[in-house]
Amino acid sequence: MNEKRSNFTGKIGFVLAAAGSAVGLGNIWRFPYLAAKYGGGIFLLVYLVLAVTLGFALMTAEIAIGRKTGLSAIGAFKKLNKKYAFVGLLAAVVPAIILPYYSVIGGWVTKYLFAFVSGNGIEAAADGYFGAFISSTWEPIGWFMMFIGLTALVVLFGVEKGIEKVSKFMMPVLVVLTVAIAAYSVYLDGADGNFEGLKYYLIPDFSHFSATTVLAAMGQLFYSMSLAMGIMITYGSYMKKDVNLESSVTNIEIFDTGIAFFAGLMIIPAVFAVSGSDADVAKGPTLMFAVLPNVFKSMGTVGQFVGAAFFILVLFAALTSSISLMETVVSIISDKFNLNRKKSCLVVFIGAVLVGLPSTLGYGPWAGVTIIGMQFLDFFDFISNNVLMPIVAFFTCVFVGFVIKPKTVIEEVKISSNFRREKLFVFVIKYAAPVCIVLILISSVLDALSNVIPALKMFSI
Ligand code: TRP
């Protein structure tokens, strides 16, 4: 961490690298199922509003903090104010919680890729195929181990540069394919003439609005843009002083949100087209796997190839993300405990496997075991995205708004350009964001707890 920081060559390099971290399973797997579950259009609307306010302010603050201090999260907070070092530490816990269950989903993607490559893609569309896979004991564990093993190998032997090069080519292809499949899904949805799924996704229905919708959208925003976990601070620390910070933030946001939007357009209309009703919209984490093979099946023989291509691209997007997640955890462990890279890599690998196992078993033989009414995978997801990240985000806002003061960030932004949304930034970071985060967090944690303590229900909004 102490060696001289290498810099991204310019704005394009920076935006692509940060967008590479941001774009992953969060956009393609997580966004569509949340949007489907939380009312479609209303979720999309809340998400977009949050992205241009909260997302914009937090990303600007994090990148500026990183660029100003030249350090990653733990060091950066400490350098600016010793008392707030705990925020950096708290942020560092998040990737460690995400990595194991991220790899479980990565394993599911790998399984589907193999199904399509080996010519069994069409079978994967059959009712009950995914259920049978997920409820078996060893198969999901095997794919999970394979995915996380691959991630660990790359982190250990450091072929990230190679992977990065490949994904620079694959990412644009993924974008094109996603848009094309989205168009096809919308076409399927419209086959009966009324575009039910498209309407569900695009037209907000305010009766679906609740505090949980906002919390879910906020958690998704943090997750998808890799915010509130110190990652963007690290990226900022590599950013050159003359690169336009504000417009870089805008570009990353447009990129990330655009891909999530098209992934939703690819999956949600297809839900309605495939099952003829919205019966499947609340499927949760399994939605993508239950729906997409049906879309490929309806393409006929071509579908086999399109499916294989699609899953290999998603696998790459997932791998680049899991590699940087693991890399983050490994570097923290090796700094903290003075372990060499090999040892800390091994520690993280074993830890992640152990923590990941309940998440895979939770959808199978352990389906009966729940924590506050959630399966393990959903629980880890909830704790990291809907509890820890809002807490980190809250303290980041307080820190920037009242401790180092917004001017610290504003001055950093102004080194490279003028700050067009300066007023919006100050208002959001000082008042709007902290107040909203606290209200939403309390209300929805009570809501989750009311699964176990029914009396708490009266407090939720
Ligand atoms: N943003 C990534 C996605 O959308 C997931 C992610 C969260 C991530 N935290 C990260 C990726 C840290 C890399 C590093 O899938």
PDB file of all heavy atoms in Angstrom, residues 20-30 94-95 98 102 220 222-227 229 231 235 256 317-318 320-326 328 385 389, ligand 1:
ATOM      1  N   GLY A  20     -15.797  -0.636 -14.436  1.00  0.00           N
ATOM      2  CA  GLY A  20     -15.534  -2.072 -14.416  1.00  0.00           C
ATOM      3  C   GLY A  20     -15.818  -2.662 -13.048  1.00  0.00           C
ATOM      4  O   GLY A  20     -16.349  -3.762 -12.937  1.00  0.00           O
ATOM      5  N   SER A  21     -15.486  -1.904 -12.010  1.00  0.00           N
ATOM      6  CA  SER A  21     -15.800  -2.373 -10.666  1.00  0.00           C
ATOM      7  C   SER A  21     -17.298  -2.300 -10.411  1.00  0.00           C
ATOM      8  O   SER A  21     -17.888  -3.170  -9.782  1.00  0.00           O
ATOM      9  CB  SER A  21     -15.076  -1.522  -9.617  1.00  0.00           C
ATOM     10  OG  SER A  21     -15.702  -1.647  -8.377  1.00  0.00           O
ATOM     11  N   ALA A  22     -17.906  -1.263 -10.934  1.00  0.00           N
ATOM     12  CA  ALA A  22     -19.326  -1.055 -10.650  1.00  0.00           C
ATOM     13  C   ALA A  22     -20.218  -2.059 -11.378  1.00  0.00           C
ATOM     14  O   ALA A  22     -21.182  -2.558 -10.821  1.00  0.00           O
ATOM     15  CB  ALA A  22     -19.723   0.372 -11.036  1.00  0.00           C
ATOM     16  N   VAL A  23     -19.882  -2.371 -12.626  1.00  0.00           N
ATOM     17  CA  VAL A  23     -20.756  -3.238 -13.403  1.00  0.00           C
ATOM     18  C   VAL A  23     -20.457  -4.698 -13.106  1.00  0.00           C
ATOM     19  O   VAL A  23     -19.331  -5.149 -13.239  1.00  0.00           O
ATOM     20  CB  VAL A  23     -20.589  -2.973 -14.909  1.00  0.00           C
ATOM     21  CG1 VAL A  23     -21.414  -3.962 -15.709  1.00  0.00           C
ATOM     22  CG2 VAL A  23     -20.999  -1.549 -15.227  1.00  0.00           C
ATOM     23  N   GLY A  24     -21.465  -5.407 -12.675  1.00  0.00           N
ATOM     24  CA  GLY A  24     -21.280  -6.825 -12.366  1.00  0.00           C
ATOM     25  C   GLY A  24     -22.625  -7.479 -12.156  1.00  0.00           C
ATOM     26  O   GLY A  24     -23.634  -7.044 -12.725  1.00  0.00           O
ATOM     27  N   LEU A  25     -22.625  -8.506 -11.312  1.00  0.00           N
ATOM     28  CA  LEU A  25     -23.882  -9.203 -11.044  1.00  0.00           C
ATOM     29  C   LEU A  25     -24.931  -8.256 -10.472  1.00  0.00           C
ATOM     30  O   LEU A  25     -26.121  -8.487 -10.620  1.00  0.00           O
ATOM     31  CB  LEU A  25     -23.639 -10.342 -10.059  1.00  0.00           C
ATOM     32  CG  LEU A  25     -22.837 -11.521 -10.601  1.00  0.00           C
ATOM     33  CD1 LEU A  25     -22.581 -12.543  -9.503  1.00  0.00           C
ATOM     34  CD2 LEU A  25     -23.594 -12.178 -11.746  1.00  0.00           C
ATOM     35  N   GLY A  26     -24.465  -7.214  -9.817  1.00  0.00           N
ATOM     36  CA  GLY A  26     -25.384  -6.241  -9.242  1.00  0.00           C
ATOM     37  C   GLY A  26     -26.332  -5.680 -10.293  1.00  0.00           C
ATOM     38  O   GLY A  26     -27.528  -5.504 -10.051  1.00  0.00           O
ATOM     39  N   ASN A  27     -25.802  -5.410 -11.477  1.00  0.00           N
ATOM     40  CA  ASN A  27     -26.617  -4.832 -12.535  1.00  0.00           C
ATOM     41  C   ASN A  27     -27.502  -5.867 -13.215  1.00  0.00           C
ATOM     42  O   ASN A  27     -28.645  -5.603 -13.537  1.00  0.00           O
ATOM     43  CB  ASN A  27     -25.731  -4.207 -13.620  1.00  0.00           C
ATOM     44  CG  ASN A  27     -24.745  -3.239 -13.044  1.00  0.00           C
ATOM     45  OD1 ASN A  27     -23.882  -3.617 -12.232  1.00  0.00           O
ATOM     46  ND2 ASN A  27     -24.862  -1.992 -13.408  1.00  0.00           N
ATOM     47  N   ILE A  28     -26.917  -7.043 -13.448  1.00  0.00           N
ATOM     48  CA  ILE A  28     -27.592  -7.993 -14.318  1.00  0.00           C
ATOM     49  C   ILE A  28     -28.470  -8.972 -13.548  1.00  0.00           C
ATOM     50  O   ILE A  28     -29.557  -9.330 -13.973  1.00  0.00           O
ATOM     51  CB  ILE A  28     -26.548  -8.751 -15.158  1.00  0.00           C
ATOM     52  CG1 ILE A  28     -25.827  -7.736 -16.038  1.00  0.00           C
ATOM     53  CG2 ILE A  28     -27.195  -9.816 -16.030  1.00  0.00           C
ATOM     54  CD1 ILE A  28     -24.478  -8.196 -16.490  1.00  0.00           C
ATOM     55  N   TRP A  29     -28.004  -9.358 -12.378  1.00  0.00           N
ATOM     56  CA  TRP A  29     -28.775 -10.314 -11.591  1.00  0.00           C
ATOM     57  C   TRP A  29     -29.615  -9.625 -10.512  1.00  0.00           C
ATOM     58  O   TRP A  29     -30.786  -9.913 -10.327  1.00  0.00           O
ATOM     59  CB  TRP A  29     -27.809 -11.334 -10.958  1.00  0.00           C
ATOM     60  CG  TRP A  29     -28.295 -11.966  -9.704  1.00  0.00           C
ATOM     61  CD1 TRP A  29     -29.244 -12.955  -9.600  1.00  0.00           C
ATOM     62  CD2 TRP A  29     -27.876 -11.673  -8.353  1.00  0.00           C
ATOM     63  NE1 TRP A  29     -29.437 -13.269  -8.271  1.00  0.00           N
ATOM     64  CE2 TRP A  29     -28.618 -12.509  -7.496  1.00  0.00           C
ATOM     65  CE3 TRP A  29     -26.955 -10.788  -7.797  1.00  0.00           C
ATOM     66  CZ2 TRP A  29     -28.462 -12.482  -6.103  1.00  0.00           C
ATOM     67  CZ3 TRP A  29     -26.790 -10.763  -6.428  1.00  0.00           C
ATOM     68  CH2 TRP A  29     -27.538 -11.601  -5.597  1.00  0.00           C
ATOM     69  N   ARG A  30     -29.004  -8.659  -9.792  1.00  0.00           N
ATOM     70  CA  ARG A  30     -29.670  -8.128  -8.606  1.00  0.00           C
ATOM     71  C   ARG A  30     -30.714  -7.051  -8.929  1.00  0.00           C
ATOM     72  O   ARG A  30     -31.816  -7.073  -8.396  1.00  0.00           O
ATOM     73  CB  ARG A  30     -28.619  -7.581  -7.637  1.00  0.00           C
ATOM     74  CG  ARG A  30     -29.118  -7.477  -6.191  1.00  0.00           C
ATOM     75  CD  ARG A  30     -27.954  -7.127  -5.255  1.00  0.00           C
ATOM     76  NE  ARG A  30     -28.358  -7.140  -3.865  1.00  0.00           N
ATOM     77  CZ  ARG A  30     -28.896  -6.101  -3.228  1.00  0.00           C
ATOM     78  NH1 ARG A  30     -29.114  -4.976  -3.863  1.00  0.00           N
ATOM     79  NH2 ARG A  30     -29.233  -6.189  -1.955  1.00  0.00           N
ATOM     80  N   VAL A  94     -17.540  -4.602   4.700  1.00  0.00           N
ATOM     81  CA  VAL A  94     -18.586  -4.895   3.716  1.00  0.00           C
ATOM     82  C   VAL A  94     -18.150  -5.873   2.612  1.00  0.00           C
ATOM     83  O   VAL A  94     -18.827  -6.880   2.381  1.00  0.00           O
ATOM     84  CB  VAL A  94     -19.168  -3.595   3.122  1.00  0.00           C
ATOM     85  CG1 VAL A  94     -20.224  -3.903   2.096  1.00  0.00           C
ATOM     86  CG2 VAL A  94     -19.734  -2.720   4.227  1.00  0.00           C
ATOM     87  N   PRO A  95     -17.018  -5.623   1.936  1.00  0.00           N
ATOM     88  CA  PRO A  95     -16.635  -6.570   0.881  1.00  0.00           C
ATOM     89  C   PRO A  95     -16.452  -7.996   1.402  1.00  0.00           C
ATOM     90  O   PRO A  95     -16.715  -8.953   0.686  1.00  0.00           O
ATOM     91  CB  PRO A  95     -15.298  -6.029   0.363  1.00  0.00           C
ATOM     92  CG  PRO A  95     -15.178  -4.656   0.863  1.00  0.00           C
ATOM     93  CD  PRO A  95     -16.090  -4.485   2.029  1.00  0.00           C
ATOM     94  N   ILE A  98     -19.821  -9.508   1.390  1.00  0.00           N
ATOM     95  CA  ILE A  98     -20.379  -9.696   0.042  1.00  0.00           C
ATOM     96  C   ILE A  98     -19.707 -10.850  -0.703  1.00  0.00           C
ATOM     97  O   ILE A  98     -20.368 -11.667  -1.337  1.00  0.00           O
ATOM     98  CB  ILE A  98     -20.257  -8.396  -0.785  1.00  0.00           C
ATOM     99  CG1 ILE A  98     -21.133  -7.301  -0.158  1.00  0.00           C
ATOM    100  CG2 ILE A  98     -20.662  -8.629  -2.228  1.00  0.00           C
ATOM    101  CD1 ILE A  98     -21.117  -6.001  -0.919  1.00  0.00           C
ATOM    102  N   TYR A 102     -21.643 -13.538  -3.147  1.00  0.00           N
ATOM    103  CA  TYR A 102     -21.434 -13.148  -4.539  1.00  0.00           C
ATOM    104  C   TYR A 102     -20.936 -14.365  -5.327  1.00  0.00           C
ATOM    105  O   TYR A 102     -21.350 -14.619  -6.452  1.00  0.00           O
ATOM    106  CB  TYR A 102     -20.398 -12.023  -4.603  1.00  0.00           C
ATOM    107  CG  TYR A 102     -20.408 -11.199  -5.882  1.00  0.00           C
ATOM    108  CD1 TYR A 102     -21.238 -10.092  -5.998  1.00  0.00           C
ATOM    109  CD2 TYR A 102     -19.575 -11.507  -6.954  1.00  0.00           C
ATOM    110  CE1 TYR A 102     -21.247  -9.318  -7.139  1.00  0.00           C
ATOM    111  CE2 TYR A 102     -19.576 -10.738  -8.104  1.00  0.00           C
ATOM    112  CZ  TYR A 102     -20.414  -9.641  -8.187  1.00  0.00           C
ATOM    113  OH  TYR A 102     -20.421  -8.874  -9.321  1.00  0.00           O
ATOM    114  N   GLN A 220     -29.394  -1.141  -3.202  1.00  0.00           N
ATOM    115  CA  GLN A 220     -28.994  -1.518  -4.556  1.00  0.00           C
ATOM    116  C   GLN A 220     -28.063  -0.476  -5.167  1.00  0.00           C
ATOM    117  O   GLN A 220     -27.093  -0.805  -5.843  1.00  0.00           O
ATOM    118  CB  GLN A 220     -30.236  -1.719  -5.430  1.00  0.00           C
ATOM    119  CG  GLN A 220     -29.963  -1.937  -6.902  1.00  0.00           C
ATOM    120  CD  GLN A 220     -29.099  -3.157  -7.184  1.00  0.00           C
ATOM    121  OE1 GLN A 220     -28.936  -4.032  -6.341  1.00  0.00           O
ATOM    122  NE2 GLN A 220     -28.507  -3.216  -8.370  1.00  0.00           N
ATOM    123  N   PHE A 222     -25.950   1.539  -3.563  1.00  0.00           N
ATOM    124  CA  PHE A 222     -24.622   1.383  -2.963  1.00  0.00           C
ATOM    125  C   PHE A 222     -23.901   0.185  -3.557  1.00  0.00           C
ATOM    126  O   PHE A 222     -22.737   0.231  -3.917  1.00  0.00           O
ATOM    127  CB  PHE A 222     -24.723   1.179  -1.442  1.00  0.00           C
ATOM    128  CG  PHE A 222     -25.329   2.341  -0.708  1.00  0.00           C
ATOM    129  CD1 PHE A 222     -26.038   2.146   0.465  1.00  0.00           C
ATOM    130  CD2 PHE A 222     -25.181   3.637  -1.192  1.00  0.00           C
ATOM    131  CE1 PHE A 222     -26.598   3.212   1.148  1.00  0.00           C
ATOM    132  CE2 PHE A 222     -25.740   4.707  -0.519  1.00  0.00           C
ATOM    133  CZ  PHE A 222     -26.450   4.493   0.652  1.00  0.00           C
ATOM    134  N   TYR A 223     -24.652  -0.918  -3.641  1.00  0.00           N
ATOM    135  CA  TYR A 223     -24.075  -2.168  -4.107  1.00  0.00           C
ATOM    136  C   TYR A 223     -23.613  -2.035  -5.549  1.00  0.00           C
ATOM    137  O   TYR A 223     -22.482  -2.358  -5.891  1.00  0.00           O
ATOM    138  CB  TYR A 223     -25.148  -3.245  -3.992  1.00  0.00           C
ATOM    139  CG  TYR A 223     -24.710  -4.633  -4.326  1.00  0.00           C
ATOM    140  CD1 TYR A 223     -24.145  -5.452  -3.357  1.00  0.00           C
ATOM    141  CD2 TYR A 223     -24.894  -5.165  -5.600  1.00  0.00           C
ATOM    142  CE1 TYR A 223     -23.772  -6.746  -3.640  1.00  0.00           C
ATOM    143  CE2 TYR A 223     -24.527  -6.459  -5.891  1.00  0.00           C
ATOM    144  CZ  TYR A 223     -23.963  -7.250  -4.913  1.00  0.00           C
ATOM    145  OH  TYR A 223     -23.601  -8.529  -5.204  1.00  0.00           O
ATOM    146  N   SER A 224     -24.519  -1.547  -6.368  1.00  0.00           N
ATOM    147  CA  SER A 224     -24.232  -1.511  -7.791  1.00  0.00           C
ATOM    148  C   SER A 224     -23.092  -0.556  -8.122  1.00  0.00           C
ATOM    149  O   SER A 224     -22.282  -0.823  -8.998  1.00  0.00           O
ATOM    150  CB  SER A 224     -25.489  -1.096  -8.550  1.00  0.00           C
ATOM    151  OG  SER A 224     -25.267  -1.184  -9.924  1.00  0.00           O
ATOM    152  N   MET A 225     -23.034   0.565  -7.406  1.00  0.00           N
ATOM    153  CA  MET A 225     -21.983   1.535  -7.719  1.00  0.00           C
ATOM    154  C   MET A 225     -20.767   1.352  -6.839  1.00  0.00           C
ATOM    155  O   MET A 225     -19.885   2.217  -6.800  1.00  0.00           O
ATOM    156  CB  MET A 225     -22.540   2.943  -7.596  1.00  0.00           C
ATOM    157  CG  MET A 225     -23.630   3.156  -8.616  1.00  0.00           C
ATOM    158  SD  MET A 225     -24.084   4.854  -8.793  1.00  0.00           S
ATOM    159  CE  MET A 225     -25.326   4.691 -10.061  1.00  0.00           C
ATOM    160  N   SER A 226     -20.709   0.249  -6.138  1.00  0.00           N
ATOM    161  CA  SER A 226     -19.601  -0.035  -5.218  1.00  0.00           C
ATOM    162  C   SER A 226     -19.342   1.137  -4.269  1.00  0.00           C
ATOM    163  O   SER A 226     -18.203   1.506  -4.018  1.00  0.00           O
ATOM    164  CB  SER A 226     -18.306  -0.368  -5.974  1.00  0.00           C
ATOM    165  OG  SER A 226     -18.525  -1.345  -6.955  1.00  0.00           O
ATOM    166  N   LEU A 227     -20.431   1.724  -3.738  1.00  0.00           N
ATOM    167  CA  LEU A 227     -20.287   2.850  -2.806  1.00  0.00           C
ATOM    168  C   LEU A 227     -20.335   2.348  -1.370  1.00  0.00           C
ATOM    169  O   LEU A 227     -20.734   1.222  -1.112  1.00  0.00           O
ATOM    170  CB  LEU A 227     -21.431   3.848  -3.014  1.00  0.00           C
ATOM    171  CG  LEU A 227     -21.453   4.601  -4.332  1.00  0.00           C
ATOM    172  CD1 LEU A 227     -22.737   5.406  -4.457  1.00  0.00           C
ATOM    173  CD2 LEU A 227     -20.240   5.515  -4.439  1.00  0.00           C
ATOM    174  N   MET A 229     -18.256   1.376   0.731  1.00  0.00           N
ATOM    175  CA  MET A 229     -17.412   0.272   1.181  1.00  0.00           C
ATOM    176  C   MET A 229     -15.945   0.574   0.877  1.00  0.00           C
ATOM    177  O   MET A 229     -15.105  -0.320   0.842  1.00  0.00           O
ATOM    178  CB  MET A 229     -17.845  -1.038   0.549  1.00  0.00           C
ATOM    179  CG  MET A 229     -17.800  -1.037  -0.948  1.00  0.00           C
ATOM    180  SD  MET A 229     -18.202  -2.639  -1.594  1.00  0.00           S
ATOM    181  CE  MET A 229     -19.870  -2.369  -2.093  1.00  0.00           C
ATOM    182  N   ILE A 231     -14.389   1.325  -1.766  1.00  0.00           N
ATOM    183  CA  ILE A 231     -13.791   1.011  -3.060  1.00  0.00           C
ATOM    184  C   ILE A 231     -13.518   2.267  -3.889  1.00  0.00           C
ATOM    185  O   ILE A 231     -12.450   2.442  -4.460  1.00  0.00           O
ATOM    186  CB  ILE A 231     -14.704   0.072  -3.880  1.00  0.00           C
ATOM    187  CG1 ILE A 231     -15.003  -1.201  -3.101  1.00  0.00           C
ATOM    188  CG2 ILE A 231     -14.116  -0.242  -5.233  1.00  0.00           C
ATOM    189  CD1 ILE A 231     -13.875  -2.156  -2.978  1.00  0.00           C
ATOM    190  N   TYR A 235     -10.166   3.909  -5.644  1.00  0.00           N
ATOM    191  CA  TYR A 235     -10.054   4.324  -7.055  1.00  0.00           C
ATOM    192  C   TYR A 235      -9.663   5.784  -7.169  1.00  0.00           C
ATOM    193  O   TYR A 235      -8.846   6.165  -7.987  1.00  0.00           O
ATOM    194  CB  TYR A 235     -11.363   4.053  -7.810  1.00  0.00           C
ATOM    195  CG  TYR A 235     -11.428   2.646  -8.322  1.00  0.00           C
ATOM    196  CD1 TYR A 235     -12.171   1.666  -7.679  1.00  0.00           C
ATOM    197  CD2 TYR A 235     -10.699   2.275  -9.455  1.00  0.00           C
ATOM    198  CE1 TYR A 235     -12.201   0.363  -8.135  1.00  0.00           C
ATOM    199  CE2 TYR A 235     -10.724   0.973  -9.919  1.00  0.00           C
ATOM    200  CZ  TYR A 235     -11.476   0.023  -9.253  1.00  0.00           C
ATOM    201  OH  TYR A 235     -11.485  -1.252  -9.717  1.00  0.00           O
ATOM    202  N   ASP A 256     -23.345   2.645 -15.376  1.00  0.00           N
ATOM    203  CA  ASP A 256     -23.839   1.631 -14.457  1.00  0.00           C
ATOM    204  C   ASP A 256     -25.364   1.544 -14.470  1.00  0.00           C
ATOM    205  O   ASP A 256     -25.944   0.457 -14.535  1.00  0.00           O
ATOM    206  CB  ASP A 256     -23.342   1.954 -13.042  1.00  0.00           C
ATOM    207  CG  ASP A 256     -23.602   0.819 -12.085  1.00  0.00           C
ATOM    208  OD1 ASP A 256     -22.909  -0.200 -12.189  1.00  0.00           O
ATOM    209  OD2 ASP A 256     -24.514   0.943 -11.254  1.00  0.00           O
ATOM    210  N   ALA A 317     -18.076 -10.667 -16.254  1.00  0.00           N
ATOM    211  CA  ALA A 317     -18.413  -9.487 -15.451  1.00  0.00           C
ATOM    212  C   ALA A 317     -18.377  -9.853 -13.968  1.00  0.00           C
ATOM    213  O   ALA A 317     -17.890  -9.092 -13.127  1.00  0.00           O
ATOM    214  CB  ALA A 317     -19.793  -8.964 -15.841  1.00  0.00           C
ATOM    215  N   ALA A 318     -18.871 -11.043 -13.638  1.00  0.00           N
ATOM    216  CA  ALA A 318     -18.894 -11.481 -12.241  1.00  0.00           C
ATOM    217  C   ALA A 318     -17.480 -11.725 -11.727  1.00  0.00           C
ATOM    218  O   ALA A 318     -17.144 -11.356 -10.599  1.00  0.00           O
ATOM    219  CB  ALA A 318     -19.728 -12.750 -12.105  1.00  0.00           C
ATOM    220  N   THR A 320     -14.604 -10.376 -12.783  1.00  0.00           N
ATOM    221  CA  THR A 320     -13.839  -9.146 -12.538  1.00  0.00           C
ATOM    222  C   THR A 320     -14.263  -8.520 -11.209  1.00  0.00           C
ATOM    223  O   THR A 320     -13.437  -7.997 -10.474  1.00  0.00           O
ATOM    224  CB  THR A 320     -14.027  -8.110 -13.664  1.00  0.00           C
ATOM    225  OG1 THR A 320     -15.420  -7.907 -13.851  1.00  0.00           O
ATOM    226  CG2 THR A 320     -13.409  -8.553 -14.951  1.00  0.00           C
ATOM    227  N   SER A 321     -15.548  -8.616 -10.888  1.00  0.00           N
ATOM    228  CA  SER A 321     -16.006  -8.046  -9.615  1.00  0.00           C
ATOM    229  C   SER A 321     -15.528  -8.878  -8.434  1.00  0.00           C
ATOM    230  O   SER A 321     -15.056  -8.333  -7.442  1.00  0.00           O
ATOM    231  CB  SER A 321     -17.526  -7.942  -9.584  1.00  0.00           C
ATOM    232  OG  SER A 321     -17.956  -6.963 -10.487  1.00  0.00           O
ATOM    233  N   SER A 322     -15.649 -10.206  -8.527  1.00  0.00           N
ATOM    234  CA  SER A 322     -15.259 -11.021  -7.367  1.00  0.00           C
ATOM    235  C   SER A 322     -13.754 -10.934  -7.140  1.00  0.00           C
ATOM    236  O   SER A 322     -13.288 -10.959  -6.001  1.00  0.00           O
ATOM    237  CB  SER A 322     -15.698 -12.471  -7.548  1.00  0.00           C
ATOM    238  OG  SER A 322     -15.007 -13.055  -8.616  1.00  0.00           O
ATOM    239  N   ILE A 323     -12.996 -10.788  -8.231  1.00  0.00           N
ATOM    240  CA  ILE A 323     -11.551 -10.639  -8.074  1.00  0.00           C
ATOM    241  C   ILE A 323     -11.237  -9.366  -7.289  1.00  0.00           C
ATOM    242  O   ILE A 323     -10.452  -9.380  -6.341  1.00  0.00           O
ATOM    243  CB  ILE A 323     -10.843 -10.615  -9.446  1.00  0.00           C
ATOM    244  CG1 ILE A 323     -10.909 -12.006 -10.074  1.00  0.00           C
ATOM    245  CG2 ILE A 323      -9.395 -10.172  -9.311  1.00  0.00           C
ATOM    246  CD1 ILE A 323     -10.612 -12.031 -11.555  1.00  0.00           C
ATOM    247  N   SER A 324     -11.900  -8.266  -7.659  1.00  0.00           N
ATOM    248  CA  SER A 324     -11.549  -7.043  -6.925  1.00  0.00           C
ATOM    249  C   SER A 324     -12.120  -7.043  -5.509  1.00  0.00           C
ATOM    250  O   SER A 324     -11.547  -6.446  -4.609  1.00  0.00           O
ATOM    251  CB  SER A 324     -11.906  -5.782  -7.704  1.00  0.00           C
ATOM    252  OG  SER A 324     -13.266  -5.660  -7.857  1.00  0.00           O
ATOM    253  N   LEU A 325     -13.245  -7.748  -5.314  1.00  0.00           N
ATOM    254  CA  LEU A 325     -13.737  -7.898  -3.940  1.00  0.00           C
ATOM    255  C   LEU A 325     -12.711  -8.658  -3.094  1.00  0.00           C
ATOM    256  O   LEU A 325     -12.364  -8.262  -1.992  1.00  0.00           O
ATOM    257  CB  LEU A 325     -15.060  -8.668  -3.920  1.00  0.00           C
ATOM    258  CG  LEU A 325     -16.332  -7.883  -4.227  1.00  0.00           C
ATOM    259  CD1 LEU A 325     -17.485  -8.836  -4.545  1.00  0.00           C
ATOM    260  CD2 LEU A 325     -16.717  -7.004  -3.048  1.00  0.00           C
ATOM    261  N   MET A 326     -12.225  -9.784  -3.644  1.00  0.00           N
ATOM    262  CA  MET A 326     -11.283 -10.595  -2.876  1.00  0.00           C
ATOM    263  C   MET A 326      -9.965  -9.853  -2.676  1.00  0.00           C
ATOM    264  O   MET A 326      -9.385  -9.858  -1.594  1.00  0.00           O
ATOM    265  CB  MET A 326     -11.035 -11.939  -3.555  1.00  0.00           C
ATOM    266  CG  MET A 326     -10.223 -12.880  -2.676  1.00  0.00           C
ATOM    267  SD  MET A 326      -9.892 -14.472  -3.430  1.00  0.00           S
ATOM    268  CE  MET A 326     -11.142 -15.500  -2.753  1.00  0.00           C
ATOM    269  N   THR A 328      -9.523  -6.728  -2.388  1.00  0.00           N
ATOM    270  CA  THR A 328      -9.700  -5.748  -1.308  1.00  0.00           C
ATOM    271  C   THR A 328      -9.539  -6.409   0.054  1.00  0.00           C
ATOM    272  O   THR A 328      -8.814  -5.916   0.922  1.00  0.00           O
ATOM    273  CB  THR A 328     -11.123  -5.149  -1.358  1.00  0.00           C
ATOM    274  OG1 THR A 328     -11.434  -4.846  -2.706  1.00  0.00           O
ATOM    275  CG2 THR A 328     -11.234  -3.910  -0.527  1.00  0.00           C
ATOM    276  N   ASN A 385     -25.943  -4.775   2.435  1.00  0.00           N
ATOM    277  CA  ASN A 385     -26.442  -3.687   1.601  1.00  0.00           C
ATOM    278  C   ASN A 385     -27.446  -2.795   2.302  1.00  0.00           C
ATOM    279  O   ASN A 385     -27.506  -1.601   2.039  1.00  0.00           O
ATOM    280  CB  ASN A 385     -27.095  -4.243   0.335  1.00  0.00           C
ATOM    281  CG  ASN A 385     -26.118  -5.071  -0.437  1.00  0.00           C
ATOM    282  OD1 ASN A 385     -25.067  -4.592  -0.816  1.00  0.00           O
ATOM    283  ND2 ASN A 385     -26.436  -6.332  -0.633  1.00  0.00           N
ATOM    284  N   MET A 389     -24.028  -0.802   4.784  1.00  0.00           N
ATOM    285  CA  MET A 389     -23.722   0.258   3.823  1.00  0.00           C
ATOM    286  C   MET A 389     -24.457   1.561   4.135  1.00  0.00           C
ATOM    287  O   MET A 389     -23.845   2.630   4.078  1.00  0.00           O
ATOM    288  CB  MET A 389     -23.932  -0.221   2.398  1.00  0.00           C
ATOM    289  CG  MET A 389     -22.787  -1.150   1.977  1.00  0.00           C
ATOM    290  SD  MET A 389     -23.284  -2.317   0.759  1.00  0.00           S
ATOM    291  CE  MET A 389     -22.559  -1.627  -0.694  1.00  0.00           C
TER     292      MET A 389
HETATM  293  N1  TRP B   1     -20.769  -3.237  -7.926  1.00  0.00           N
HETATM  294  C1  TRP B   1     -20.605  -4.616  -8.205  1.00  0.00           C
HETATM  295  C2  TRP B   1     -21.795  -5.147  -8.989  1.00  0.00           C
HETATM  296  O1  TRP B   1     -22.661  -4.408  -9.378  1.00  0.00           O
HETATM  297  C3  TRP B   1     -20.486  -5.448  -6.986  1.00  0.00           C
HETATM  298  C4  TRP B   1     -19.513  -4.959  -6.023  1.00  0.00           C
HETATM  299  C5  TRP B   1     -19.806  -4.546  -4.814  1.00  0.00           C
HETATM  300  C6  TRP B   1     -18.123  -4.825  -6.201  1.00  0.00           C
HETATM  301  N2  TRP B   1     -18.674  -4.183  -4.202  1.00  0.00           N
HETATM  302  C7  TRP B   1     -17.630  -4.333  -5.018  1.00  0.00           C
HETATM  303  C8  TRP B   1     -17.259  -5.072  -7.242  1.00  0.00           C
HETATM  304  C9  TRP B   1     -16.308  -4.083  -4.837  1.00  0.00           C
HETATM  305  C10 TRP B   1     -15.930  -4.822  -7.073  1.00  0.00           C
HETATM  306  C11 TRP B   1     -15.438  -4.320  -5.886  1.00  0.00           C
HETATM  307  O2  TRP B   1     -21.890  -6.310  -9.201  1.00  0.00           O
END
